[in-house]
Structure formats: structure tokens, C-alpha cells
Amino acid sequence: MQRGQSHLGNPFLSPDFTLAMGEVDRRVRVAVARDGDGIAGFFPYEERSGVGAAVGAWVSLCQGVVHRPGASFDAAALLRACGLHVWEFGCLVARQPWFDPYVTLTQDAAVLDLADGWPAYLRELRGRSPKFLKSTLYKERKLGRDVGEVTSAFAVDSADEFALLRAWKSQQYRRNGRPDRFGRPWVVELVERLHAVDNKDFGGVLSMLYVGGTPVAGHFGLRSRTTLIGWFPAYDPRFAKYSPGLIQHLRMAEGAAEAGLETVDLSVGAGYEYKEALASRTVPVSEGVVRRRTARAGVHWARTEPVRLARRAVLGTPAIHRLADRALKTYGRRRSR
């Protein structure tokens, strides 16, 4: 089903991701939908007392029904069959019209097109974002002159370097006033399991940037046969003036192209200038909540809707979003000190 429909080729929709989540969280389920022609689709979800969420919702960057071409579903009937009163989604894959009435916010994900190879993408980037590319390449050369030779690796199997990347990311979360994903044991167990998987259909990819052989930036993402998903980028803050994260993203894209991947999906790019600069195009990503007409769904609405409305107002108003972001970073810096 995924191979036959490119928009479903996201590795977060892969059975491998759902199986890995099922090994770290007993609440993971998969509904198998059938019709007169056999299996019509698969609906992975997590269940908490009748309230459903996407599998690995706190870290997942793509959700939805993986289905046979042409299949159609009724969202309320799907939930009823699963025993769910509510299903919340945060990164709904495109072309799932049965969930359209329940979408509350749509944002654009930044996508790099590598199907024609690295030289073609680089030419396109130079024409679209010349200042960004020139500045990033200049900082890469300066880093090489000031510190040491700059090199990169696309797929790294080092457990020590993966642990170093997670430590950088945890520090970044705290500096920015965000919850530390890697402060949760199940997230660490999940990504370590995924890092151990490496095949052309699915796997965790650790890419690293080095200066004089020392790691200075890195990224851990998931890949499918055609797509690499941006997930956990981080860098050593001691080298911040050289923008090692930008250099690493550029070299990661080069490595992905050389590995035969056709796209790099950096997820939602609002407020991230580097994503907007690198993107060849954007694709819509939606969030929302499906509720059946039940008492339990009503209680869920009363408990969660005020927060959802406030978040939508922040994300939908750039000035408020910038103010909130600055407030979180100020809080993070104080907490770090």
C-alpha cells in the first residue's frame, strides 16, 4: 500500500515504526479495516480509556490510515469499531478526506526534492536561496580554517555518537524552555531500537558532522525507501558561531541524495528560516481531533478545547508566536543557569 502511493511512504506510517512503538508501549493497537475486496486499510493508534492518539504521538511526525488505493472510510464508524470516543492527530498525512471535517489547524512541511540528484538540488538551491547557501558555505570554510578539516557521514552506527547527539538535544530543549523528549525512558528506548534497524524500506539514520574528527553536529531521522524524515537535529553549542547545524543539514541532504533517497522532509517549517530556505516545496500537514457524539467525548472537549484554541491562536498569529517563543527561551536560559 505504501509503495503504490507515494504520499503514504512516510516511515512513521511504516509497520516497522508501529511495531517498535508496540515494544515500548503496551497501549499501541492496529485496527484492520476490511470490505468486500479484502483488507482496505490499517489504522494504528494508542488507546487510553477510550481516548485515542497517534502512535508515538509525542514524537511522531506523520499519522493516518494506510490504505488500499481508492478505499474510503467513515471516521466516526472507524472510531466506534475501535471502541474509541476520541482520536487526536497532530501530523495528519495528506489525502485523508474522511478526517477533513475534524481538522483544526493546517501548516506547511518543508520538503527537499532530491530525485534528480545532489547537483540538481544544489543548482536549484543556489537560484532560490543564494544568500543562505553562500553564508552556509562560507561558515563551513571558516570552520575548517579556524578549527580543522570538516567532514561528514550519512549513516553512522556509533552508539557513543548517538548518545552525544541526544545529550546535545536535551540541552537544546532545556535552553529553549521545551520539554526534554529524551527525558522520557520510552523515547530513548524507542530511538535506540530504531537506530539498530537499517534497510532500504525502513530504518533509523544517524548523520554526523565532524571537525578534525570531532563531532560538532548531528541528526537522527527515519527513512523509508524514498524519504528521510527530519527528526532530532542538534549541535555542540561551543561551535554555534559557525552554524554547524546548517552545515550538517546541507551535508545530510547530500548524503541522502547519494544514498538514493528522493526527498528529505523537514516537517513543519513555520518560524524556522533554514527550513524555508532549504525547501524545494511544501506539503500540508494537519492537526485536529475526531469526537463521536458521546458523553466521554464531551468531557474530553471541555477539558482540552480551551488549550487547543489558545495554541491555535498562537500558531496562527506570527507576532504572538514570536513573543511566546522568546518567553520560552528566556525561561529555558534561566532554568539552565
Side-chain angles (χ1 to χ4, degrees):
M1 291 176 181
Q2 287 189 292
R3 289 181 183 179
Q5 301 170 94
S6 60
H7 70 288
L8 295 178
N10 192 297
F12 283 100
L13 296 177
S14 166
D16 304 79
F17 179 74
T18 299
L19 287 168
M21 271 301 306
E23 292 171 345
V24 302
D25 191 335
R26 293 180 177 272
R27 297 170 297 187
V28 172
R29 303 285 185 271
V30 179
V32 183
R34 301 175 185 273
D35 60 16
D37 296 321
I39 294 178
F42 300 89
F43 176 55
Y45 63 96
E46 293 181 14
E47 192 270 336
R48 300 171 179 83
S49 302
V51 175
V55 170
W58 204 42
V59 294
S60 170
L61 296 178
C62 190
Q63 300 122 32
V65 178
V66 179
H67 58 87
R68 188 181 64 230
S72 182
F73 303 87
D74 178 272
L78 183 62
L79 265 62
R80 186 166 54 251
C82 296
L84 296 175
H85 298 266
V86 177
W87 182 62
E88 297 179 301
F89 53 91
C91 297
L92 183 69
V93 67
R95 303 183 208 172
Q96 305 251 307
W98 39 89
F99 294 127
D100 284 351
Y102 309 97
V103 170
T104 58
L105 179 68
T106 299
Q107 302 182 80
D108 289 327
V111 176
L112 285 61
D113 284 330
L114 305 174
D116 295 328
W118 173 249
Y121 171 77
L122 196 61
R123 285 195 301 271
E124 187 254 345
L125 179 63
R126 183 173 286 112
R128 187 185 65 254
S129 304
K131 291 183 180 179
F132 169 84
L133 181 60
K134 182 178 179 180
S135 173
T136 303
L137 294 177
Y138 167 78
K139 290 178 179 179
E140 182 180 38
R141 293 192 298 269
K142 183 171 175 56
L143 179 59
R145 290 194 301 267
D146 293 352
V147 185
E149 181 185 9
V150 179
T151 58
S152 63
F154 178 66
V156 179
D157 61 6
S158 168
D160 291 339
E161 292 184 12
F162 192 26
L164 178 61
L165 173 71
R166 298 199 304 271
W168 289 338
K169 194 65 181 178
S170 291
Q171 293 169 11
Q172 180 188 350
Y173 283 135
R174 291 193 291 270
R175 286 196 308 271
N176 292 341
R178 265 70 172 184
D180 179 8
R181 267 33 177 197
F182 295 119
R184 301 287 182 90
W186 71 264
V187 177
V188 176
E189 183 180 355
L190 172 67
V191 296
E192 287 182 342
R193 286 177 179 272
L194 297 174
H195 185 216
V197 178
D198 183 19
N199 61 62
K200 289 188 176 182
D201 284 315
F202 179 86
V205 179
L206 174 65
S207 56
M208 299 295 293
L209 184 77
Y210 306 92
V211 175
T214 299
V216 296
H219 172 274
F220 182 71
L222 290 184
R223 66 160 293 172
S224 64
R225 181 173 289 268
T226 60
T227 302
L228 173 68
I229 304 296
W231 204 8
F232 295 113
Y235 61 87
D236 188 333
R238 296 178 298 173
F239 297 90
K241 69 177 183 179
Y242 300 101
S243 299
L246 300 183
I247 300 168
Q248 196 279 328
H249 271 80
L250 205 59
R251 295 308 161 204
M252 178 181 72
E254 182 179 17
E258 291 175 352
L261 292 167
E262 297 177 4
T263 58
V264 175
D265 185 336
L266 297 180
S267 190
V268 174
Y272 294 91
E273 293 183 3
Y274 79 93
K275 291 187 180 183
E276 295 173 0
L278 287 169
S280 305
R281 56 185 172 86
T282 61
V283 296
V285 175
S286 301
E287 66 176 65
V289 55
V290 184
R291 294 187 182 94
R292 292 169 53 204
R293 296 181 180 274
T294 66
R296 190 173 299 181
V299 171
H300 179 272
W301 178 90
R303 189 180 71 248
T304 62
E305 194 63 16
V307 175
R308 191 180 303 277
L309 289 172
R311 181 175 181 274
R312 193 187 316 165
V314 170
L315 291 176
T317 310
I320 298 178
H321 184 267
R322 289 192 296 269
L323 182 63
D325 186 60
R326 285 198 297 269
L328 281 172
K329 288 179 179 177
T330 299
Y331 165 74
R333 287 193 294 270
R334 291 176 177 173
R335 184 175 63 172
S336 296
R337 285 199 294 268

